[in-house]
Amino acid sequence: MAFDLNMIKGVYARMQERVEAARKIEGRPLTLAEKILYSHLWEGTPSQVYERGKSYVDFAPDRVAMQDATAQMALLQFMQAGRPQVAVPSTVHCDHLIQAEVGAVADLQTAKDKNKEVYDFLASVSDKYGIGFWNPGAGIIHQVVLENYAFPGGMMIGTDSHTPNAGGLGMVAIGVGGADASDVMSGLAWELKMPKLIGVKLTGKLSGWAAAKDVILWVAGQLTVKGGTGCIVEYFGEGAESLSCTGKGTICNMGAEIGATTSIFAYDQKMAAYLRSTDRADVADAANAVAGYLRADDEVYANPAAYYDQLIELDLSTLEPHVNGPFTPDLAWPISKFATAVKENGWPEVLSVGLIGSCTNSSYEDISRAASIAQQAVDKKLVVTSEYTITPGSEQVRFTVDRDGFLDTFAQIGGVVLANACGPCIGQWARHGAEKGEKNSIITSFNRNFSKRADGNPNTHSFVASPEIVTALAIAGRLTFNPLTDTIINSEGVSVMLDEPSGMELPSKGFAVEDAGYQSPAEDGSQVQVIVSPTSDRLQLLEPFKAWEGTDLNGLKLLIKAKGKCTTDHISMAGPWLKYRGHLDNISNNMLIGAVNFYNEKTNTVKNQLTGVYGEVPAVQRDYKANGIGTIVVGDENYGEGSSREHAAMEPRFLGARAILVKSFARIHETNLKKQGMLALTFANTADYDKILEDDTIDIKGLQSFAPGVQLTIVLHHSDGTTEEFPVNHTYNEQQIEWFKEGSALNIIRKSVAA
């Protein structure tokens, strides 16, 4: 039986009335995304039209999910709200703090020893406030959610940017920062600008080496890393219905790489089969009863261009396997052109490591298809020279694929099974030799491949592909191998080809697990004690941020003018810094250390205007803070893309930065900045970015009349005594302006509870 079945039935019980009301108000047929959004309005039954891309809307999500790295800050904030229990079903998943080094058993035990304080904190907070807790080793948040909590037509927010994975089961699932999660757990509305809609019509059917992963790799190449910003991507068509439920999840998961708010597929028989296979026949039965509301209206499918803001079409029968990268997930190469690209660009041809699994590609189907390729290597006497690792998505998947012999197959080609955790995908990889900085290539079935993300080495060229392609290239040992056309010389000197992969969407014997790793919360948590040591270097209780002083911001110093791509990894690195995710002061020592300084083309070295000496970014910022001087950070396009980590917003706020001024923002990061009481501003004219000089002192004018849609003014005081000014834009509404004035959104929650 499913978790929270009564809640799910409640969603379905009110869906018909709300969808019918929305259809009447809009005066037209509705897409699937619109049906789910309108049925989750905070106000209840829809009473007005919300304009896509313009209207801010209050929603009532059904549940909240948090991973251990982000849960720490989310729950530290929730504790300040003064609530006795979470208002909606919520879960914590311990998947980020386990470092891959030796193998699953040893790495998991090491993580439990090193992170005991954090795990104990998360377990006790969960116990106290009615939160479901998944122990370290239970699996990666998104796979566990898909197996246990996701349901068609639901709405969920999660403190991880790949939360949209649940769209594979027909759910509007959106990545957010911890402050948003804290709001919803506190019983408040969750605000989102009504997304625009991108329709992706899939026809035909995948065959041969092509996999669901190739769909999103192709889409990423079409839309780029910011093409989906502010949009929900809705997949439909006969091709969509032919994909497995977990294949749909893969596609939705990597929608984060195009900046999409979320991605979604309509409810179909593939989803019903997955629900039944994962012991949720009751959910499938409930969904079948309202199936017409879990898909777009027929008129939408008949004439999609009239209902979506953008329409893309793809015939799956023509889709080639793709390899995307290096250094960005939207540089898409069909396999037939990839070898030429490798040679022309001088990328390292020898493949050092192939890594499969992660939250994106660790389903039973993924593992079984990859194992079919590995078995061929054994049968055809091929010598595997590349390292090869497998990261199962959950203990249930690991136990099942072990039972069915796939892990033994991988072992025969030298495969190493890592813990059921994020591991190398998020930089939790103690890769031996990475510190040497040698130029090399790796290929993964993960979702992101930013510079230094996996192993900290800026010279590691990371590529993304399906588990099948990753396995084939690892067997060949080189990037230029095309398994569709090329041969390999085996140990007997015979030239052989790999056959097409084969696999099963779901296990014929069903899923099995001995201990899934779940801990139920206490029925009465009022007596549970949550202890945070005042001397801990891992956990730190939060102090409220100060309210706005009521004046314009004058005399700000330029901290850094970031050049080019500046993701949340550049602003607040993961890897070894993950251990400080619950200690704001300590983790602030990584603030912007990965950003490239426009003026010297270096990372983590900026000019301290008080001394004229160059220093590390956090140290310079702390000097400004000690002297009571505010600062401003300037950035380029799509600033803050990537992970949902709110630390990238909290660290500048904590250390005294007052504003972030960029050419454009990634959605989650802009919201996170607003929640923490920061000014998130964009250039009205992007050419004004060039006017900002290294020694500038900067004023922000117009704050005393701060209002939605009204520009603010930047005044630059150059070191030669001259001044320049220009207008800047913002997207603050009335409520968000109050967040700024009060010092943070959390300060407002605290006031409301106290009242």
Side-chain angles (χ1 to χ4, degrees), residues 220-351:
Q222 301 297 305
L223 292 177
T224 77
V225 290
K226 65 175 185 175
T229 302
C231 301
I232 290 180
V233 181
E234 189 171 317
Y235 293 85
F236 62 93
E238 64 182 52
E241 294 182 3
S242 73
L243 298 169
S244 69
C245 177
T246 51
K248 293 176 171 74
T250 291
I251 293 168
C252 293
N253 178 293
M254 258 196 81
E257 271 48 76
I258 58 172
T261 301
T262 194
S263 302
I264 193 168
F265 284 80
Y267 178 63
D268 60 17
Q269 289 310 302
K270 296 285 190 179
M271 294 185 192
Y274 183 75
L275 286 168
R276 296 184 190 283
S277 184
T278 51
D279 199 26
R280 289 175 288 171
D282 39 14
V283 177
D285 292 340
N288 286 340
V290 293
Y293 295 98
L294 303 177
R295 52 180 279 127
D297 288 332
D298 290 341
E299 296 90 337
V300 174
Y301 293 144
N303 184 23
Y307 299 96
Y308 295 100
D309 299 287
Q310 183 178 352
L311 181 64
I312 301 172
E313 297 189 36
L314 173 61
D315 181 353
L316 298 181
S317 63
T318 67
L319 183 63
E320 275 189 69
H322 275 60
V323 180
N324 286 24
F327 305 131
T328 184
D330 60 348
L331 186 58
W333 304 98
I335 192 71
S336 61
K337 297 180 180 179
F338 183 56
T340 299
V342 171
K343 293 174 181 177
E344 290 182 348
N345 289 282
W347 299 328
E349 182 176 341
V350 173
L351 181 61

Side-chain angles (χ1 to χ4, degrees), residues 306-500:
Y307 299 96
Y308 295 100
D309 299 287
Q310 183 178 352
L311 181 64
I312 301 172
E313 297 189 36
L314 173 61
D315 181 353
L316 298 181
S317 63
T318 67
L319 183 63
E320 275 189 69
H322 275 60
V323 180
N324 286 24
F327 305 131
T328 184
D330 60 348
L331 186 58
W333 304 98
I335 192 71
S336 61
K337 297 180 180 179
F338 183 56
T340 299
V342 171
K343 293 174 181 177
E344 290 182 348
N345 289 282
W347 299 328
E349 182 176 341
V350 173
L351 181 61
S352 298
V353 193
L355 307 97
I356 69 165
S358 83
C359 67
T360 318
N361 280 105
S362 58
S363 67
Y364 187 89
E365 180 181 31
D366 290 326
I367 300 298
S368 66
R369 282 173 63 88
S372 77
I373 304 300
Q375 186 63 53
Q376 291 183 54
V378 176
D379 296 341
K380 298 184 180 187
K381 298 180 172 56
L382 295 172
V383 178
V384 180
T385 56
S386 299
E387 292 182 34
Y388 184 73
T389 70
I390 306 95
T391 301
S394 70
E395 176 57 16
Q396 178 167 269
V397 166
R398 188 212 63 79
F399 189 94
T400 304
V401 299
D402 188 21
R403 177 201 67 188
D404 293 349
F406 299 140
L407 299 188
D408 287 339
T409 300
F410 291 134
Q412 291 180 67
I413 66 166
V416 175
V417 178
L418 301 177
N420 312 322
C422 299
C425 186
I426 59 162
Q428 281 284 57
W429 187 16
R431 186 183 179 192
H432 305 292
E435 71 282 354
K436 298 176 184 177
E438 294 176 347
K439 192 175 181 181
N440 73 104
S441 289
I442 66 173
I443 189 165
T444 81
S445 68
F446 304 163
N447 42 48
R448 292 200 174 127
N449 59 343
F450 302 141
S451 175
K452 298 186 285 187
R453 179 175 173 88
D455 61 3
N457 178 3
N459 296 315
T460 293
H461 292 58
S462 180
F463 299 88
V464 181
S466 69
E468 301 93 311
I469 293 295
V470 170
T471 305
L473 268 59
I475 290 169
R478 64 183 194 278
L479 287 180
T480 50
F481 175 68
N482 181 350
L484 283 70
T485 59
D486 298 349
T487 59
I488 315 175
I489 305 299
N490 70 7
S491 60
E492 297 177 346
V494 178
S495 180
V496 299
M497 280 193 72
L498 294 173
D499 301 321
E500 294 175 351

Side-chain angles (χ1 to χ4, degrees), residues 539-752:
L539 297 165
Q540 180 187 48
L541 295 176
L542 296 176
E543 293 291 333
F545 290 134
K546 292 182 179 179
W548 173 56
E549 54 268 65
T551 64
D552 288 338
L553 300 181
N554 298 317
L556 304 179
K557 297 297 184 182
L558 175 67
L559 176 62
I560 186 172
K561 179 176 172 180
K563 180 179 180 180
K565 187 184 285 285
C566 191
T567 71
T568 49
D569 278 298
H570 296 93
I571 304 167
S572 176
M573 286 185 177
W577 293 94
L578 279 173
K579 65 181 180 180
Y580 296 125
R581 284 285 179 87
H583 198 293
L584 185 54
D585 192 13
N586 283 345
I587 199 170
S588 293
N589 288 323
N590 78 359
M591 185 190 73
L592 285 160
I593 63 176
V596 176
N597 184 354
F598 178 90
Y599 302 105
N600 59 14
E601 301 281 339
K602 296 179 180 179
T603 59
N604 202 24
T605 173
V606 295
K607 188 174 184 178
N608 184 334
Q609 292 191 45
L610 301 181
T611 64
V613 176
Y614 284 83
E616 296 181 345
V617 182
V620 171
Q621 178 61 50
R622 286 183 186 275
D623 194 19
Y624 288 138
K625 181 179 181 180
N627 284 278
I629 298 171
T631 60
I632 183 171
V633 173
V634 175
D636 215 318
E637 297 282 4
N638 207 30
Y639 183 89
E641 73 172 275
S643 300
S644 67
R645 65 193 65 155
E646 64 184 329
H647 299 77
M650 296 186 77
E651 292 172 29
R653 179 76 167 102
F654 176 73
L655 291 183
R658 303 300 301 272
I660 311 293
L661 171 61
V662 301
K663 293 179 180 178
S664 65
F665 281 108
R667 176 190 62 85
I668 299 176
H669 187 62
E670 181 179 21
T671 300
N672 286 345
L673 289 167
K674 291 177 179 180
K675 285 276 184 178
Q676 302 303 335
M678 291 279 284
L679 279 176
L681 308 173
T682 56
F683 291 99
N685 179 0
T686 56
D688 290 335
Y689 171 91
D690 297 321
K691 295 179 179 178
I692 298 174
L693 305 180
E694 188 173 28
D695 293 315
D696 281 351
T697 299
I698 301 169
D699 302 334
I700 302 176
K701 302 292 188 182
L703 289 174
Q704 289 173 301
S705 54
F706 195 8
V710 179
Q711 292 179 320
L712 299 174
T713 300
I714 294 289
V715 180
L716 305 177
H717 299 274
H718 299 311
S719 59
D720 64 1
T722 62
T723 62
E724 289 184 83
E725 65 178 59
F726 52 81
V728 291
N729 298 328
H730 65 84
T731 60
Y732 287 75
N733 60 26
E734 293 286 0
Q735 176 177 274
Q736 293 167 347
I737 289 172
E738 290 305 308
W739 298 346
F740 168 74
K741 290 181 177 179
E742 291 293 333
S744 70
L746 186 60
N747 287 351
I748 294 177
I749 296 175
R750 190 183 301 104
K751 278 188 174 182
S752 68

Side-chain angles (χ1 to χ4, degrees), residues 27-291:
R28 58 169 175 78
L30 299 178
T31 66
L32 170 62
E34 289 174 316
K35 289 181 179 181
I36 299 176
L37 293 171
Y38 272 116
S39 64
H40 283 85
L41 296 177
W42 182 258
E43 68 187 71
T45 303
S47 60
Q48 61 178 303
V49 171
Y50 292 103
E51 189 175 356
R52 297 178 194 169
K54 292 187 178 180
S55 301
Y56 281 95
V57 188
D58 285 340
F59 290 105
D62 301 312
R63 65 179 314 112
V64 173
M66 297 163 280
Q67 40 94 335
D68 51 355
T70 52
Q72 296 172 62
M73 198 57 68
L75 292 173
L76 285 165
Q77 292 178 85
F78 173 76
M79 288 169 63
Q80 287 191 303
R83 302 281 186 181
Q85 196 170 38
V86 291
V88 301
S90 304
T91 54
V92 168
H93 304 260
C94 295
D95 62 0
H96 270 56
L97 299 179
I98 302 168
Q99 187 176 47
E101 183 173 12
V102 178
V105 175
D107 292 346
L108 179 58
Q109 188 56 54
T110 298
K112 288 179 178 179
D113 293 340
K114 285 186 175 180
N115 303 311
K116 185 179 187 303
E117 179 183 15
V118 172
Y119 292 148
D120 288 349
F121 166 73
L122 293 174
S124 62
V125 172
S126 298
D127 209 23
K128 182 175 183 64
Y129 294 108
I131 299 168
F133 182 75
W134 291 82
N135 283 289
I140 306 173
I141 176 173
H142 312 303
Q143 181 67 25
V144 173
V145 165
L146 196 72
E147 292 175 1
N148 294 278
Y149 299 110
F151 67 96
M155 174 182 273
M156 177 180 74
I157 61 170
T159 60
D160 190 281
S161 56
H162 293 103
T163 299
N165 190 80
L169 206 38
M171 194 173 203
V172 165
I174 301 176
V176 299
D180 281 339
S182 180
D183 285 359
V184 173
M185 289 189 294
S186 299
L188 302 181
W190 174 62
E191 183 187 72
L192 177 73
K193 185 182 288 186
M194 195 68 167
K196 292 184 178 181
L197 301 178
I198 297 175
V200 181
K201 182 178 181 179
L202 302 178
T203 58
K205 189 175 183 178
L206 295 171
S207 63
W209 284 87
K213 180 63 162 256
D214 298 306
V215 176
I216 186 58
L217 295 178
W218 179 87
V219 169
Q222 301 297 305
L223 292 177
T224 77
V225 290
K226 65 175 185 175
T229 302
C231 301
I232 290 180
V233 181
E234 189 171 317
Y235 293 85
F236 62 93
E238 64 182 52
E241 294 182 3
S242 73
L243 298 169
S244 69
C245 177
T246 51
K248 293 176 171 74
T250 291
I251 293 168
C252 293
N253 178 293
M254 258 196 81
E257 271 48 76
I258 58 172
T261 301
T262 194
S263 302
I264 193 168
F265 284 80
Y267 178 63
D268 60 17
Q269 289 310 302
K270 296 285 190 179
M271 294 185 192
Y274 183 75
L275 286 168
R276 296 184 190 283
S277 184
T278 51
D279 199 26
R280 289 175 288 171
D282 39 14
V283 177
D285 292 340
N288 286 340
V290 293

